[in-house]
Amino acid sequence: MKLASLQALVAAVEEGSLRAAARRLGVSQPALTKMVRELERELSATLLLRSTTGVVASAQGKVLYEHARTVARELDTAVEQVQQLGGRMVGELGIAAVPLAVLLLIPETLRTFTREFPDIRLRIAEELYIAQLTKLRTGEVDLAIGPIPQGLPAGEFTTEPLMPVTMAVVVRKGSALARSRSLRELARSRWVYTSDAGATGYARMLFEHHGLPAPPAAAIVNSTLALMAVIGSGDCVGLMPMPIATHPAAAPYLSVVPIAEGHLDLTIGVVVRGDTALKPAVRHFVSHLHRAAHHVAAGT
């Protein structure tokens, strides 16, 4: 099974068109079609379903596509690691970061890191809830920055703390819910959870920490804009980092509810995979993150 054929399959599935896939890989459409057909003959399976509107992966094609993506990512990582170990600091770093890290840590880290390593391209994805660490597990990102999840499998990940964060209970400015003084008073309210899937997130952690059943999720979001829009335009409750909830851009629309139990205190940290050798660029980036966290703590 040739790598070029796997790359052809990945491009075809992601582009939804053999012509677009060929253009993406810089080959002719007949050449790309031949590579995919070679895969199909080798596996005795139809991998792409063709129609007048393009192509989609068959059930077998989806399986091979997922594994081919992983192979391509791992190979790219290996190439970059070899280059960096040889002194050529080139390549790309994928970073998943919660909004607070994007607001407070990433700008200073980018300033110092890119000055030292101008040939490393950074790809940053905002994540409201990183506890599932899906992108880190699949290799889509090299590191994640956010509240350090509890109960991580031993050996799978390595974590380093960076700074404390308080997750505040927030409601719409002017909402009657702002007069609440306990979690029990808010237990029947419509809560917005931050998660990729399912009723998980920091709101559930807050209730469970105080021995209370977590309310059902009225909405599940995974973007800062969606969280602010849902809470700021209706009678919903959610959790948001205190520096963001009180930021001039959010303060006119949100109120922090002073609950007696206190808000949820967490530790922002960096999480990397512990079962693979890290690219030198990752280690350097983590060092710059620590430097940025020191600047935040010092108020500079």
Side-chain angles (χ1 to χ4, degrees):
M1 194 175 295
K2 298 177 182 178
L3 179 61
S5 297
L6 293 175
Q7 291 172 329
L9 176 68
V10 169
V13 172
E14 292 181 348
E15 297 291 340
S17 161
L18 294 176
R19 180 179 299 174
R23 186 165 55 247
R24 168 171 151 179
L25 296 181
V27 300
S28 67
Q29 183 174 335
L32 184 131
T33 300
K34 181 181 178 181
M35 287 188 281
V36 173
R37 291 199 184 280
E38 286 177 351
L39 278 179
E40 292 179 324
R41 281 196 299 270
E42 184 175 353
L43 297 173
S44 299
T46 299
L47 302 176
L48 294 178
L49 303 176
R50 298 158 175 83
S51 71
T52 56
T53 58
V55 296
V56 295
S58 66
Q60 296 95 324
K62 289 177 182 177
V63 171
L64 187 59
Y65 164 73
E66 292 297 335
H67 286 280
R69 285 182 66 204
T70 301
V71 168
R73 280 197 298 265
E74 293 294 340
L75 182 59
D76 289 341
T77 297
V79 170
E80 290 178 4
Q81 190 165 348
V82 169
Q83 291 175 326
Q84 291 173 15
L85 287 171
R88 293 188 61 212
M89 295 301 293
V90 297
E92 179 179 272
L93 277 185
I95 301 154
V98 296
L100 183 65
V102 174
L103 179 68
L104 297 183
L105 298 178
I106 294 298
E108 175 64 14
T109 304
L110 288 183
R111 185 183 71 82
T112 60
F113 180 84
T114 55
R115 184 173 59 194
E116 185 174 358
F117 305 108
D119 295 324
I120 299 290
R121 182 176 63 183
L122 301 177
R123 177 171 43 84
I124 302 169
E126 182 189 86
E127 297 288 333
L128 279 189
Y129 185 70
I130 69 164
Q132 286 132 340
L133 297 173
T134 303
K135 291 182 178 179
L136 197 56
R137 281 192 170 96
T138 59
E140 292 180 64
V141 298
D142 296 290
L143 55 95
I145 311 167
I148 298 177
Q150 299 175 349
L152 290 177
E156 185 180 7
F157 298 106
T158 300
T159 64
E160 292 187 31
L162 295 171
M163 59 182 289
V165 60
T166 296
M167 301 294 290
V169 177
V170 296
V171 297
R172 172 180 56 84
K173 181 75 76 175
S175 170
L177 295 173
R179 296 193 291 271
S180 302
R181 291 299 178 266
S182 72
L183 279 179
R184 291 187 183 277
E185 293 181 57
L186 294 169
R188 295 184 178 277
S189 301
R190 294 170 53 82
W191 279 79
V192 183
Y193 281 45
T194 52
S195 173
D196 286 325
T200 57
Y202 304 119
R204 176 174 290 276
M205 291 175 59
L206 176 64
F207 275 86
E208 292 178 348
H209 179 72
H210 293 286
L212 298 172
I220 299 173
V221 300
N222 195 30
S223 82
T224 306
L225 181 59
L227 181 62
M228 292 181 63
V230 173
I231 295 176
S233 62
D235 283 326
C236 291
V237 190
L239 286 186
M240 189 174 290
M242 187 70 80
I244 294 181
T246 57
H247 191 275
Y253 309 101
L254 302 174
S255 292
V256 174
V257 183
I259 56 173
E261 295 89 346
H263 302 288
L264 183 64
D265 292 324
L266 301 172
T267 299
I268 295 287
V270 58
V271 186
V272 297
R273 289 170 62 182
D275 57 351
T276 58
L278 295 179
K279 292 184 288 189
V282 174
R283 294 195 293 270
H284 286 297
F285 191 84
V286 172
S287 296
H288 283 264
L289 273 173
H290 279 288
R291 186 180 305 170
H294 176 75
H295 275 262
V296 172
T300 59

